[in-house]
Structures are given as structure tokens and as C-alpha cells.
DNA sequence: TAGATTGTTAATCGATTAACAATC
DNA sequence: TAGATTGTTAATCGATTAACAATC
């Protein structure tokens, strides 16, 4: 129950557990054993039990886990029912795609503001939400106190923007600008997303096929 | 020089090294020590030297590493100069953003075809590239032999599509559909991108602030 | 009760860090 | 040469897997 020190590796796996359990629940599966789940997720049963036990005994010997209850527990741990006040800055292709494609409410986030520095974009709408001009950011933050900012501006604008937002009270950054964000305050959370990094692992993988060499 | 067995953790760090070195090179930095680089990247110098030595001695004692040479070496290892024939299927918001926002050439990939199943989208253009109808996929693959497919279709359509493409010779999948892809062939590479998973780590982090408890 | 499956401890494995001799 | 910094080995740390007693 108490939150001790959960290892980052475990935390990174939680959203995936949550997704799989959600799908099982949607399919009407009532109970599942760590063995069965391990088969579906491509993990070991041991690891699943180890992971879940970081947070407490959610299962029952001889039975397994109740899918719905486990789904809810993990959702609770992640905070999917929160309403983290979230803003998104930069409505280029990527910003628009993130705003439309990512389900913020399902991630415990409430999108309360969209911003762009282009006067032809600011003033318009996106999915029924008004887009504000970046110049109004400070005033907005003083009134609305967003905790989380999604950064979709060009690389050169990102560091200064993040610095400014941090000073305005934003405590977490989801960064899609090329180039890693770094803020010295250790209490500020930063998640740098680099899609190209992900693609490059495939490029690497394709380049090293069947490197079968004759034995020495 | 020979490619032995490089650990996945090292491979996942390579794109980031490549990015940082590219920026240093662009700034005109000629040489860098593992210590200096470690400071900039937030790693230990030890880890950097360990990582780079998986591939051979790129540095020079008493001097450090030549930025440009190291950048080129890592690019070489990743395969950034390749021309992996790549197709993208599904031109919803996300598909369009990926097509525009990700620099495929810089990742060693050549985008040779865009596909969508919506007849109002197929036949049109995206950034000067024609969008084909998904029905023409088989014929296209027989002629053009794409190796890599970017999957941006809805979750329910993704598994069947991937299966079909795998049968048509596609060897790597970059999957943006919600829900993990799994193909039993171990030679097929799959990179499942789940942006919501990344956002949820921030939600989790925000929810567990200052859990300072009184000492027992 | 017998069977199944967890929670949990112990063993293994891999990845990171530290240390230092080699060498530019 | 002296100083710096690598390449590389050894030590540490953390994460995964295996095993099994507890228990539903």
C-alpha cells in the first residue's frame, strides 16, 4: 500500500499492463493467471507477479487475478482518474496530431489550453477548442495553473519556452520538439519523445540481418 | 569491428549519441572527452566509453573523441545512409503527422508509398506524394518490395494488415496503432509506439509528489 | 482434500559504475 | 616528459528468473 521506491523499470511497464487488462476486461475476461497473462504479453509469469507485488497482493492463490479489479488498481496507481491540468503549445502537424490522437482524459490529463505563436493559427479552433496566442501564456498560467505542458514547438524555441513555463509553475513536460529538454530542477518531470530514435532501432535491426559467419 | 551481440540497452542509446554528436558537430566542436559528453547527456563517462567500445576503439587516449568521426561511425552502425524502402499506411491525423514530421531520409529510410483505405484520401497528394488505395497494396509490394511499414491504421485493422504485409515480404513494422502488434516470425522486427504510455509515466510522477512520511 | 497459483525469497543474469594500466 | 583520457577489467548494483512454501 505505501509507495516506497518503485523502480523505473516497473513503472514503465504499468501502462502496458493497464492496456492489456483493459482489453481483457472489454472482452469480458473475468480472471487471469500470471501464466496466462505472461503468454499474451510476452513476459515471464515471475516478472508479472514480482511487478504487481510492488504495490500489494492483488491476486489470490489458486485463482489468479481478477481482471477488472487489477485493471482498476493499476489505473489508480497510474492516476488515470486524475484531472491534471494540461496545455499544449505548438499546433504544427505534430501538435495537431497529438491533440487529436492522444486520449488525454484516459491518461488522467485535462487539456485546458492550446497555444500557437502563429497569428493565423491562434484565434482559430481545433476540435472545438480555441487556440490562444503564445503571448497570452503567462496570463493564462497565472489564472489556470496548468501542471503539465506538451511541447510541440520547433527545437530552437523549446528550451526557453520550457524554462518560462517552469517558472510559471508547470511541473511536467511532454516534449516532442527535436532535441532533449533539460531543466536543472530535480522536481520537474521531463519525458522527451524522440520518434526518430525509435525508427532508428528498426533501421539498425534491418542492417544486421543473418550475420552468420563461419565458425573460426 | 565484427558485430557480435550488442545489448539492446546499448542499441537504444545509439540514436541519442548520434543526435548529440550531430549537434556538437553542427556547432563546430571538433573533439570531446567522454567526461564532457557525459555531462551534456546526463550519463556517466564510464558508460559512454563502455558503450562505444562495443564497436571498437573510436577514441584516442589523452585526447578524447573526434566529434565528426564518432558521429559518422555511429551513423554507419545505425545505418542512416541506407535507403530502406518504406511504406506508410493510414493517413489519419497521426499518419499525416508522421509522414511530415519524421525525417525518414535521416533515419536511413526512403518513403516510397503512402496508402489509405478512404477513397476520398486515396488519389490525393501528401507533400507531393500520391496516396494510393490500400487495395493496391499487394500489387505495389510485388513490384516495389518495401522492407519497412509504418502502421497508422485503427487498432482493429492493424493485425490483419501487418500479417498481410509480412506475407508480402515486409520485415519491419513501426506501429502507431493502439494495441501492440505481435507476429510470430522472430525475424520480423516490430517497434510498437504507444504515446499514451509515455504520457502516463508523467501522470504517475505527478501523483506521487513529496511522499515524505514521518520516520517510524 | 487436492490442485492451482500466488507471494516471496534466493539465484542468476545483465547492465552500470569504478578503477587503473595502457598510451597518445 | 607529464598530463590527459581512453580501453578494459573488476566490483557493484539492479533487474529478471527460478523455486517453493503459503494459501486459497
Amino acid at each position: 500500500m505505501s509507495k516506497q521506491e518503485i523502480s523505473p523499470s516497473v513503472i514503465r511497464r504499468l501502462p502496458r499492463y493497464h492496456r492489456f487488462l483493459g482489453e481483457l476486461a472489454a472482452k469480458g475476461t473475468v480472471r487471469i493467471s500470471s501464466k496466462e497473462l505472461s503468454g499474451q504479453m510476452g513476459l515471464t509469469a515471475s516478472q508479472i507477479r514480482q511487478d504487481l507485488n510492488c504495490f500489494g497482493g492483488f491476486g489470490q492463490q489458486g485463482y489468479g487475478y481478477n481482471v477488472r479489479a487489477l485493471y482498476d488498481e493499476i489505473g489508480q496507481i497510474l492516476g488515470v482518474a486524475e484531472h491534471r491540468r494540461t496545455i499544449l503549445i505548438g499546433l504544427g502537424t505534430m501538435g495537431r496530431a497529438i491533440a487529436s490522437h492522444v486520449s488525454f482524459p484516459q491518461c488522467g490529463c485535462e487539456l485546458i489550453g492550446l497555444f500557437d505563436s502563429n497569428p493565423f493559427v491562434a484565434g482559430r479552433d481545433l476540435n472545438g477548442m480555441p487556440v490562444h496566442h503564445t503571448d497570452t501564456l503567462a496570463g493564462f498560467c497565472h489564472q489556470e495553473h496548468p501542471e503539465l505542458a506538451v511541447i510541440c514547438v520547433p527545437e530552437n524555441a523549446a528550451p526557453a519556452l520550457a524554462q518560462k513555463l517552469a517558472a510559471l509553475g508547470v511541473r511536467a513536460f511532454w516534449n516532442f520538439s527535436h532535441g532533449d529538454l533539460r531543466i536543472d530542477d530535480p522536481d520537474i518531470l521531463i519525458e522527451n519523445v524522440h520518434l526518430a530514435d525509435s525508427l532508428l532501432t528498426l533501421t539498425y535491426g534491418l542492417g544486421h540481418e543473418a550475420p552468420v559467419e563461419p565458425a573460426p
Side-chain angles (χ1 to χ4, degrees), chain A:
Chain A
M1 192 114 274
S2 85
K3 243 53 132 295
Q4 316 214 51
E5 210 42 74
I6 308 296
S7 94
S9 330
V10 175
I11 295 167
R12 293 230 160 250
R13 278 192 293 269
L14 290 182
R16 193 152 172 269
Y17 286 128
H18 193 251
R19 256 192 294 127
F20 272 78
L21 290 163
E23 283 177 19
L24 285 167
K27 268 196 297 189
T29 308
V30 172
R31 69 165 276 268
I32 195 157
S33 69
S34 58
K35 180 142 173 268
E36 171 66 16
L37 187 58
S38 74
Q40 293 188 27
M41 294 188 64
L43 305 169
T44 66
S46 223
Q47 178 162 63
I48 291 175
R49 293 203 300 279
Q50 198 77 280
D51 282 354
L52 298 179
N53 268 77
C54 294
F55 303 98
F58 297 150
Q60 192 170 317
Q61 280 100 330
Y63 173 85
Y65 299 85
N66 178 291
V67 171
R68 185 75 216 181
L70 188 54
Y71 173 75
D72 289 343
E73 282 286 2
I74 295 178
Q76 179 69 36
I77 293 162
L78 286 169
V80 297
E82 301 289 330
H83 298 272
R84 301 292 173 195
R85 299 170 74 70
T86 302
I87 56 176
L88 187 152
I89 304 100
L91 287 162
T93 356
M94 209 12 128
R96 290 198 303 273
I98 298 298
S100 316
H101 180 269
V102 175
S103 174
F104 285 90
Q106 282 186 40
C107 293
C109 298
E110 189 184 349
L111 210 43
I112 59 168
L114 303 175
F115 296 85
D116 199 284
S117 62
N118 182 337
F120 293 98
V121 175
R124 306 214 165 191
D125 256 49
L126 185 75
N127 305 333
M129 278 194 74
V131 178
H132 307 288
H133 194 279
T134 314
D135 289 348
T136 67
L137 212 35
F140 185 93
C141 290
H142 284 127
Q143 285 214 336
E144 302 290 344
H145 305 289
E147 308 174 79
L148 200 156
V150 187
I151 307 290
C152 302
V153 303
E155 178 171 11
N156 57 358
L161 174 61
Q163 210 64 57
K164 179 179 163 185
L165 288 170
L168 287 163
V170 172
R171 288 147 60 213
F173 292 91
W174 199 24
N175 176 39
F176 288 85
S177 85
H178 193 72
D180 288 14
L181 277 187
R182 269 234 269 177
I183 291 185
D184 40 16
D185 186 337
D187 290 342
I188 289 189
L189 308 172
I190 299 179
E191 181 78 5
N192 290 304
V193 180
H194 281 282
L195 295 178
D197 288 9
S198 161
L199 178 55
L200 277 170
T201 64
L202 289 176
T203 303
Y204 173 85
L206 284 172
H208 300 267
E209 299 233 304
V212 186
E213 296 202 31

